[in-house]
Amino acid sequence: MTSMDFENHHWIWDGVYPHLFGGIMITAAVLGLSTSYFGGIGVPSLPYFWPDLGIFHTKKKYGKKPIRVYMDGCFDLMHYGHANALRQAKALGDELVVGVVSDEEIIANKGPPVLSMEERVVLVSGLKWVDQVISNAPYAITEKFMNSLFNEHNIDYIIHGDDPCLLPDGTDAYALAKKAGRYKQIKRTEGVSSTDIVGRILSSMRDKELGDSRKTECLPEQFHGGNGDPAVESGYNGSQASHFLPTSRRIVQFSNGKGPGPDARVVYIDGAFDLFHAGHVEILKCARQLGDFLLVGIHNDQTASERRGTHPIMHLHERSLSVLACRYVDEVIIGAPWEVTKDMITTFNISLVVHGTVAESNCLSSEGVDPYAAPKRMGIFQTVESPRNTTTGSIAKRIIANHETYKKRNEKKEESEKRYYAEKKFVFGD
């Protein structure tokens, strides 16, 4: 078993004076206000407003041993629910250690993962609340592994959500931690799961095949039908709508809560950032290294659909939370315009606009319109070599290629999901 240590970011917000880039911009987007124009919006006195949100938590006093907490998971098809769970876990201690379950253990207990161990580690280590990652962690907290956590990794508490985690024999995977009195529970994030995302992908395929009125000749290969079309055969009847209920508080919780300094070099990158993956993490890391503050524009659902030819798997607010959770991102524009204009560059004091070399199919883009024409004329545009060739479409293809396997996996998981929601009770937390 190996571990990866990362720079310990406590994200303490001392003396923050939030301004346009901070919580107001993203909160305004949730409330239905435009994120591309802010003229005339009154800004409340946020230093008095934010503490009431409960988003600050007191960190350890100097001289005291830091409280180290551990949370594990498969983290397959990483989404904002995973990120929110780790955010809550970090709030219960000072240092968060995350165990990423091995491929072999996932296969034995749940079915084959979509993402490799290496991709899942990149995603988890890219989250702003994570201090250390233990790769190839076991699915069940055995006595041997628990003792290793306590004695070798100095873990004080083991964390898990309020949804049950049962082993194939029906026993509680966290029974030993509970018995030892070293277990703490957090609230599960509503509206999303990896099972749900797989279902959305397969349903999206079926919807395209059964008569989408838009052009299909430009759709990515994974959405074309044919004899034996897996989407039709999979049994998914209709798109699985997101059940996520976005709130301003949730988005502020994910935000860093501060804008760039007056002399900061602001780097801007935009895209759909659908089905957030390791390729996204690494291109955002590259972009952040080019300046002092990384501003990410996230295209709305309509723009993403028009430019890519397919409706995004995750909707705008889901995609925004996934990007905000990344440690390399300082702020996002929710519903960013397709074209980067001179006025936008001036408004946000952008020093550099970057774009990766790997992107989704763009066959439905406007004829001859270059969205980066303005920054190119100003000499502030740069193409950055994408570290990976991973795309949302390439991940979807993995699921399509093994649709029968994932169909069976989903059917099994959907039963436990239904039981959870049928028996769900209110759990205090955020």
Side-chain angles (χ1 to χ4, degrees), residues 215 217-222 270-272 299 302-310 338-339 355-372 376 391 393:
K215 296 179 181 179
E217 62 270 18
C218 290
L219 295 180
E221 180 182 347
Q222 74 270 18
D270 61 3
H299 299 147
Q302 180 178 351
T303 298
S305 297
E306 291 173 350
R307 305 304 172 182
R308 290 168 41 187
T310 60
W338 173 251
E339 186 178 356
H355 188 66
T357 54
V358 173
E360 299 289 338
S361 174
N362 194 28
C363 60
L364 296 183
S365 60
S366 300
E367 296 82 356
V369 176
D370 182 356
Y372 305 110
K376 287 178 180 178
T391 64

Side-chain angles (χ1 to χ4, degrees), residues 387-415:
R388 293 173 182 263
N389 60 2
T390 308
T391 64
T392 301
S394 68
I395 292 175
K397 285 182 180 179
R398 301 182 196 181
I399 295 171
I400 305 313
N402 299 282
H403 65 278
E404 283 297 336
T405 300
Y406 288 111
K407 174 188 171 184
K408 292 177 182 178
R409 168 180 152 176
N410 265 28
E411 287 173 348
K412 180 180 178 181
K413 288 291 294 180
E414 282 172 350
E415 288 302 316

Side-chain angles (χ1 to χ4, degrees), residues 203-212 216 219 223-227 229 231-232:
S203 292
S204 179
M205 286 181 56
R206 178 182 181 277
D207 291 345
K208 294 292 182 297
E209 177 63 17
L210 292 182
D212 194 320
T216 58
L219 295 180
F223 291 111
H224 281 291
N227 294 330
D229 176 41
V232 177

